[in-house]
Amino acid sequence: MNRARRGRALGLVLAAGVTMTTAACGGAQESESVAGGPVTITVNGLPAATDEFNRAHFEADVKAFEAKYPNIKIDAKEGLMDPQTFSAKLAGGQLEDVFYVYLTDAQNLIAKRQVSDISTQLAGFPVTKDYKPGLMKVFSDAAGKVYGLPDENYSLGLIYNRKLYQRAGLDVNKPPVTWAEVREHAKKISALGKDIVGYGDYSKSNTGGWHFTAEVYSIGGDVAVKDGDTWKAAFNDDKGRQVLQQLKDMRFTDDSMGKRQLLEYDDLIKLMATDKLGLYVGSTGDMSNIVNQFKGTFADYGLGPIPDGKGTLGGGSGYMFKAGLSPEKIKAGLTWLTFKKNPDRIASDNKNAAAKGLPVGLPEPNVWSGASEQKLIEATKQYANIPSENFAPFAAATATIPLKLEPPNAQQVYAALDPVMQKVLTDPSADIGQLLTDAEKQVNQILSSVK
């Protein structure tokens, strides 16, 4: 979802400090060599000159890296992955050797053999064993060969307003873990009156389809499934009907969703920031936007797991290796990526983030497991400057909830599902079965172009 990416763009820089880059860790070590003579690799991810703070840190990383590995030269390019130009650059052979991708694009690149297999070199970089298995699966083919590494991740949970929870007599440390509990909590919060909305949801500008997808995933359903070599819609079933029926009941039977509908991304963030909303599905990036854009306070919000927990819509980014790279360039690229993204740097990065007044303590992004994740947890406790205990329910459940990516042609699929959410939230006589049948036809047409 493009708005998820926008939310994450702020959230990743501010969440835990782990995305900040400093030369402190790498520069203090003795120089090391990569066998085979000098190697130059092109990489992207260099922040724009207007982003002075992050660009300075990136350039300091390059300087420290080249001092430590004098046989590797980094030719850094601005930008990340621009969907408008990516395909043309790929077709024209203009991609960087090591390039940024969204998680949703990795499998397509692997299937089309447009990236290099890096599997045989991973043993030389033991830290890669600590990436979360679910994220590594995104960068792997069916045979287990690996073509890239994760960099950042996010997943959807349930954001809730702790002040409204307290006023409604609810336990501020126990967010709902089922959709039935969401309904009960929303009724109690909306009963506070004064235009307070218990539970909020989207239905405009593709956000409705995005949240419908997340809610279907949460109860074990799918929006699209692969059938042989083709994709087909999968939401016109009991799961899809369950999601829509609950929303309809909350909207018209309980009156816990407010009368104003046709909401899009900023609307729920504003309502949460102004203490007019009790709960909605969101991520750590959304929480950062509540605070940074609309002057909320982290202490006033909590984050729980996605209700029912059968799956959560998530995403993120990583780096892959251009097809046809030499073993020397692949090794140089892995050396660069594991230098920049290394659990041994988390403490110093968090320290620098806290010194800058940036929030440290949100549970995501977190791509690590095992001993590396423990380093993240310890560094977060050491330097946290926001109440990370408010997000403990989300953090505790994350490892047990399967991460599911967006469907193919996601934006088009979401656009086709927006009218379904709009109708259910604005018309008490909406025919859920007919809405799903009509949307299924549209989505199948959209998916017919996916190879």
Side-chain angles (χ1 to χ4, degrees):
M1 174 64 204
N2 55 356
R3 282 162 182 79
R5 288 171 181 168
R6 185 179 77 178
R8 217 164 56 249
L10 285 171
L12 295 184
V13 175
L14 302 177
V18 295
T19 59
M20 295 177 56
T21 52
T22 67
C25 179
Q29 301 182 38
E30 295 181 2
S31 295
E32 298 178 19
S33 297
V34 174
V39 177
T40 297
I41 54 170
T42 55
V43 303
N44 61 8
L46 175 66
T50 52
D51 185 1
E52 296 180 5
F53 179 71
N54 284 309
R55 188 182 180 101
H57 280 282
F58 190 101
E59 291 174 340
D61 262 349
V62 172
K63 183 177 179 180
F65 177 82
E66 291 182 344
K68 183 178 181 182
Y69 301 100
N71 283 357
I72 305 177
K73 301 301 177 186
I74 301 297
D75 181 7
K77 309 294 184 182
E78 285 190 5
L80 296 171
M81 181 181 183
D82 182 353
Q84 304 300 319
T85 61
F86 181 80
S87 294
K89 288 180 68 176
L90 181 64
Q94 297 176 326
L95 278 181
E96 292 80 9
D97 297 327
V98 181
F99 61 92
Y100 178 100
V101 296
Y102 295 119
L103 298 189
T104 46
D105 296 295
Q107 284 296 308
N108 189 44
L109 293 170
I110 293 170
K112 293 181 177 179
R113 300 183 180 181
Q114 293 172 319
V115 284
S116 288
D117 176 5
I118 64 173
S119 308
T120 59
Q121 303 225 31
L122 290 180
F125 300 89
V127 72
T128 61
K129 294 179 180 178
D130 274 358
Y131 282 118
K132 290 184 182 295
L135 292 175
M136 287 301 288
K137 187 176 180 180
V138 174
F139 291 97
S140 305
D141 64 16
K145 294 180 179 179
V146 180
Y147 299 82
L149 298 178
D151 185 56
E152 304 291 357
N153 67 317
Y154 80 95
S155 59
L156 294 178
L158 195 67
I159 298 174
Y160 63 102
N161 188 303
R162 291 170 63 89
K163 289 197 292 186
L164 294 181
Y165 256 60
Q166 189 170 36
R167 286 176 55 191
L170 295 165
D171 189 333
V172 297
N173 296 315
K174 291 185 178 179
V177 295
T178 67
W179 284 107
E181 289 179 353
V182 168
R183 186 173 179 181
E184 291 305 311
H185 288 202
K187 284 193 285 189
K188 291 182 178 180
I189 292 168
S190 63
L192 295 171
K194 298 182 180 179
D195 298 321
I196 291 174
V197 175
Y199 178 77
D201 219 332
Y202 294 127
S203 59
K204 188 179 177 183
S205 302
N206 299 10
T207 58
W210 173 43
H211 264 202
F212 174 76
T213 298
E215 290 158 17
V216 167
Y217 284 179
S218 74
I219 59 173
D222 280 301
V223 165
V225 295
K226 198 165 188 180
D227 183 15
D229 293 329
T230 61
W231 287 83
K232 64 178 183 180
F235 53 81
N236 187 9
D237 60 7
D238 290 345
K239 305 294 186 186
R241 286 188 287 275
Q242 179 182 334
V243 167
L244 296 178
Q245 189 63 56
Q246 167 136 337
L247 290 173
K248 188 178 180 182
D249 290 343
M250 292 174 71
R251 170 71 177 89
F252 295 106
T253 302
D254 303 345
D255 193 22
S256 63
M257 294 187 68
K259 292 180 171 52
R260 182 183 164 224
Q261 295 300 322
L262 305 182
L263 305 178
E264 52 188 320
Y265 184 76
D266 282 350
D267 293 322
L268 293 184
I269 287 179
K270 289 177 184 176
L271 286 172
M272 184 63 71
T274 54
D275 300 328
K276 294 293 186 182
L277 174 62
L279 309 111
Y280 83 104
V281 170
S283 69
T284 55
D286 298 318
M287 297 188 72
S288 292
N289 286 344
I290 291 168
V291 172
N292 298 315
Q293 290 182 255
F294 299 104
K295 310 306 178 187
T297 302
F298 279 112
D300 292 338
Y301 312 110
L303 185 64
I306 194 77
D308 284 328
K310 301 289 196 315
T312 183
L313 175 59
S317 60
Y319 285 88
M320 301 187 82
F321 294 70
K322 185 170 67 174
L325 286 189
S326 67
E328 291 77 18
K329 286 202 169 189
I330 290 173
K331 184 175 183 180
L334 286 168
T335 305
W336 165 248
L337 292 180
T338 55
F339 174 86
K340 277 184 61 59
K341 191 78 174 181
N342 195 298
D344 289 336
R345 302 181 57 168
I346 296 173
S348 62
D349 287 346
N350 280 359
K351 181 179 180 180
N352 290 333
K356 274 287 185 180
L358 301 176
V360 175
L362 288 174
E364 284 184 344
N366 173 17
V367 300
W368 301 111
S369 65
S372 294
E373 184 173 33
Q374 192 58 41
K375 290 179 181 180
L376 170 66
I377 291 170
E378 291 171 359
T380 299
K381 286 181 180 177
Q382 184 177 2
Y383 295 105
N385 55 12
I386 61 175
S388 55
E389 63 273 13
N390 288 10
F391 324 120
F394 175 88
T398 298
T400 66
I401 300 176
L403 181 73
K404 302 186 71 170
L405 299 179
E406 294 180 308
N409 287 349
Q411 295 309 310
Q412 296 176 58
V413 171
Y414 295 160
L417 291 169
D418 265 3
V420 177
M421 294 286 278
Q422 291 170 9
K423 192 72 171 174
V424 164
L425 293 173
T426 60
D427 183 357
S429 62
D431 185 335
I432 289 173
Q434 190 61 53
L435 288 169
L436 288 173
T437 297
D438 292 344
E440 180 183 37
K441 294 174 183 175
Q442 294 182 57
V443 171
N444 277 334
Q445 187 173 0
I446 291 166
L447 294 174
S448 67
S449 64
V450 179
K451 303 300 181 184

